[in-house]
Amino acid sequence: MASDKEMTQEQCPHRNNVQSSETPQVYKVGIYGWRKRCLYFFVLLLMILILVNLALTIWILKVMNFTIDGMGHLRITERGLKLEGTSEFLQPLYAKEIQSRPGTPLFLQSSKNISVNILNNENHLVTQLTAGSRGVQARGKMLEVRSSSGKLLFSADDQEVVVGAERLRVMGAEGAVFTSSVETPHVRAEPFKELRLESPTRSLFMEAPKGVDIHAEAGDIQATCRSDLRLQSVDGAIILDAQKIKLLRLPEGVASPSPSRQTVFEVCVCANGIVFLSQAGTGSTCQMRNHVCI
């Protein structure tokens, strides 16, 4: 065995010499030189960007007043969104209900106009309320105004306009102007005020199936016209019931050119309806005054 080992070593002497003459090599692992400096530079730049981004985020949160409940004047509550102060919407706002805080008014302000549109299921406009520089316009099938107790004060639709208040007062100096007929059971002036029914350029008609009553409990009734004033009864009579009935400015018939001191006159009626006065005598003197009937 020993001889064999020695023989083997003798046969390969050059291998041992090579192994003993070689020195161990060390391989460096990593980045060195300019690559290492660039890497440190980019890491430092990234850290600076992260810090700047974090600072800007904190500044935005501080300026916008972000909290757990909301942002700025906007608060998220159980009942919905709550805005405090003046708010401006640049795009359409969709909400089920908009109300102010208890005890404070609600202001809607616009530089042009404010429109409230009501759409049906087919997205067709059915009701519109527009408040602009030209005024307030309402469009819809019906308009109603009610009191706090629910009483109807005013309503208007295509068929009629209803005023449900106990009194309709017109404050204009010209009064109320109606282009067509007016139907009412009672027309009354205010206390200590005059009631005038006037038609300056046309006719004035008062009709009722059961009669027209005109009462002036504390004053006079005057009927003035430019041409003729007619009192006509088709099926009945015209009754003048008063303590005194005066017919002023009636023409007087003269029987003779001689002056007379006669103070008693007889009322005569011509065939064409003209009434005149004639000096009374023992008999009727109306037939002698026919010249005033022309």
Side-chain angles (χ1 to χ4, degrees):
M1 294 292 293
S3 60
D4 293 339
K5 184 175 181 181
E6 293 176 357
M7 184 178 181
T8 302
Q9 293 178 354
E10 291 177 356
Q11 291 178 356
C12 301
H14 61 279
R15 180 178 300 178
N16 295 331
N17 294 331
V18 172
Q19 293 178 355
S20 59
S21 61
E22 292 180 353
T23 59
Q25 297 181 358
V26 179
Y27 295 96
K28 298 180 179 180
V29 178
I31 301 175
Y32 298 93
W34 64 272
R35 294 184 181 88
K36 182 178 181 181
R37 289 191 296 270
C38 291
L39 180 61
Y40 287 164
F41 174 76
F42 284 121
V43 171
L44 179 62
L45 180 62
L46 181 60
M47 293 178 63
I48 293 174
L49 291 178
I50 292 175
L51 292 177
V52 172
N53 190 12
L54 182 60
L56 289 177
T57 303
I58 296 175
W59 179 74
I60 292 174
L61 293 176
K62 184 65 176 178
V63 172
M64 300 300 294
N65 194 13
F66 277 94
T67 59
I68 300 177
D69 298 331
M71 176 188 68
H73 297 294
L74 179 64
R75 295 289 182 268
I76 301 176
T77 61
E78 296 179 355
R79 301 180 58 183
L81 297 179
K82 180 180 179 181
L83 289 174
E84 297 179 355
T86 303
S87 302
E88 181 178 357
F89 299 94
L90 302 179
Q91 297 295 331
L93 173 65
Y94 299 92
K96 182 179 179 181
E97 181 181 356
I98 299 176
Q99 63 179 2
S100 62
R101 293 184 300 176
T104 58
L106 176 64
F107 293 97
L108 299 177
Q109 184 176 355
S110 174
S111 59
K112 292 185 178 180
N113 56 29
I114 297 177
S115 299
V116 179
N117 300 329
I118 307 299
L119 307 178
N120 56 10
N121 296 331
E122 300 177 356
N123 291 331
H124 293 164
L125 182 64
V126 293
T127 303
Q128 184 181 29
L129 177 63
T130 303
S133 58
R134 296 184 178 180
V136 179
Q137 297 180 357
R139 175 185 175 187
K141 296 182 179 179
M142 183 177 61
L143 174 64
E144 285 188 358
V145 179
R146 294 183 177 272
S147 63
S148 57
S149 61
K151 181 182 178 181
L152 180 63
L153 300 179
F154 178 85
S155 67
D157 55 12
D158 295 337
Q159 301 297 328
E160 62 179 2
V161 176
V162 179
V163 179
E166 296 181 358
R167 178 179 298 179
L168 175 61
R169 178 177 297 179
V170 180
M171 303 297 296
E174 298 296 331
V177 179
F178 301 94
T179 57
S180 59
S181 61
V182 178
E183 182 178 353
T184 177
H186 192 190
V187 178
R188 182 180 62 183
E190 293 184 353
F192 307 104
K193 299 292 183 179
E194 295 182 355
L195 175 63
R196 299 182 61 182
L197 302 178
E198 182 179 358
S199 178
T201 58
R202 293 295 185 268
S203 301
L204 177 62
F205 296 94
M206 290 187 295
E207 298 179 357
K210 294 185 178 180
V212 177
D213 295 333
I214 302 176
H215 297 278
E217 299 179 355
D220 300 334
I221 296 178
Q222 296 181 1
T224 306
C225 63
R226 184 172 295 276
S227 56
D228 297 337
L229 176 62
R230 297 181 182 181
L231 300 178
Q232 182 179 1
S233 178
V234 178
D235 297 331
I238 298 177
I239 301 174
L240 300 177
D241 186 5
Q243 295 181 356
K244 295 181 181 180
I245 297 177
K246 296 182 180 181
L247 300 176
L248 304 178
R249 299 182 183 179
L250 290 180
E252 298 181 7
V254 181
S256 61
S258 61
S260 176
R261 296 182 179 178
Q262 180 71 21
T263 59
V264 179
F265 294 88
E266 179 182 0
V267 179
C268 302
V269 182
C270 299
N272 56 5
I274 296 178
V275 179
F276 66 95
L277 298 178
S278 177
Q279 295 180 2
T282 56
S284 178
T285 58
C286 291
Q287 67 276 7
M288 300 173 58
R289 317 301 183 198
N290 290 335
H291 65 279
V292 297
C293 296
I294 300 176

